[in-house]
């Protein structure tokens, strides 16, 4: 059975060393609690969460667990905007040739270099680059056209 120092876990209350023999589960639970507290403190420092008028517990609770209604609405709007952009992207990909769509996906979603794309398809880097650039131009024109059509509808 491990022997722990209570001062390590309860410092403001216990200021002198107090060694106690506890079971393994209790020692592990105390260590886990200490790790959680340290992780939460690091989060507060990273996100620059400071307050002059609350105690530590309230500050921790508010900064990590509570969300304002505005935050909830903003997250919902961002999620809806992402969904709209993904559907628009799928429509734009449908207006490309299959080769352009495949190469653009490999370049930007697969993270491949133009040289790698050209080698995998048996063409040169310049041909793959030309195909990707022309595909992006076609997508840009599609988005501009859609924006103009939506403005005409309103």
């Amino acid at each position: 059975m491990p022997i722990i120092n209570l001062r390590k876990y309860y410092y403001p209350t216990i200021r002198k060393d107090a060694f106690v023999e506890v079971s393994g589960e209790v020692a592990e639970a105390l260590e886990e609690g200490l790790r959680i507290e340290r992780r939460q403190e690091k989060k507060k420092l990273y996100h620059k969460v400071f307050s002059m008028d609350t105690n530590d517990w309230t500050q921790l609770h508010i900064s990590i667990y509570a969300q304002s209604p505005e935050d909830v609405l903003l997250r919902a709007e961002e999620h809806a905007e992402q969904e709209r952009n993904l559907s628009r992207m799928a429509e734009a990909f449908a207006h490309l040739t299959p080769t352009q769509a495949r190469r653009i996906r490999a370049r930007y979603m697969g993270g491949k270099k133009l040289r790698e794309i050209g080698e995998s398809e048996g063409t040169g880097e310049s041909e793959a680059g030309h195909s990707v650039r022309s595909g992006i131009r076609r997508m840009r024109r599609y988005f501009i056209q859609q924006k103009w059509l939506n403005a005409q509808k309103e």
Side-chain angles (χ1 to χ4, degrees):
M1 291 181 49
I3 297 174
I4 63 167
N5 187 354
L6 292 178
R7 185 181 70 157
K8 179 180 176 183
Y9 304 102
Y10 302 105
Y11 174 68
T13 307
I14 301 175
R15 296 181 187 265
K16 293 185 180 181
D17 289 332
F19 296 98
V20 177
E21 187 174 349
V22 295
S23 67
E25 295 87 20
V26 172
E28 182 59 36
L30 286 171
E31 279 298 319
E32 180 64 23
L34 195 60
R35 282 192 295 268
I36 289 171
E37 284 180 21
R38 287 181 181 152
R39 196 168 41 237
Q40 305 256 347
E41 286 297 320
K42 286 181 182 179
K43 280 184 183 179
K44 284 187 348 186
L45 289 175
Y46 177 80
H47 294 290
K48 297 175 181 63
V49 177
F50 301 107
S51 178
M52 306 268 301
D53 58 347
T54 60
N55 60 23
D56 290 339
W57 181 86
T58 306
Q59 183 67 33
L60 179 67
H61 180 74
I62 290 172
S63 66
I64 293 175
Y65 301 111
Q67 292 182 356
S68 69
E70 182 182 13
D71 290 338
V72 172
L73 287 174
L74 285 175
R75 282 204 180 93
E77 287 177 12
E78 288 173 1
H79 183 69
E81 183 67 25
Q82 283 180 338
E83 291 296 320
R84 282 193 299 272
N85 286 338
L86 286 175
S87 67
R88 288 179 192 147
M89 191 67 82
E91 292 172 12
F93 269 105
H95 285 81
L96 298 176
T97 65
T99 305
Q100 288 174 335
R102 182 180 63 246
R103 289 178 179 169
I104 288 175
R105 282 190 181 101
R107 174 73 174 113
Y108 294 105
M109 295 172 198
K112 289 186 175 181
K113 296 181 180 179
L114 293 173
R115 180 179 38 81
E116 295 171 349
I117 295 169
E119 288 174 359
S120 68
E121 295 181 356
T123 61
E125 177 181 349
S126 62
E127 188 176 335
H130 176 71
S131 177
V132 168
R133 283 189 297 277
S134 63
I136 290 173
R137 275 195 300 271
R138 285 180 77 175
M139 289 176 75
R140 189 177 293 138
R141 274 188 252 134
Y142 172 77
F143 282 122
I144 290 170
Q145 182 183 17
Q146 290 300 315
K147 192 175 189 180
W148 183 80
L149 289 173
N150 289 338
Q152 292 295 320
K153 289 178 184 177
E154 294 175 356

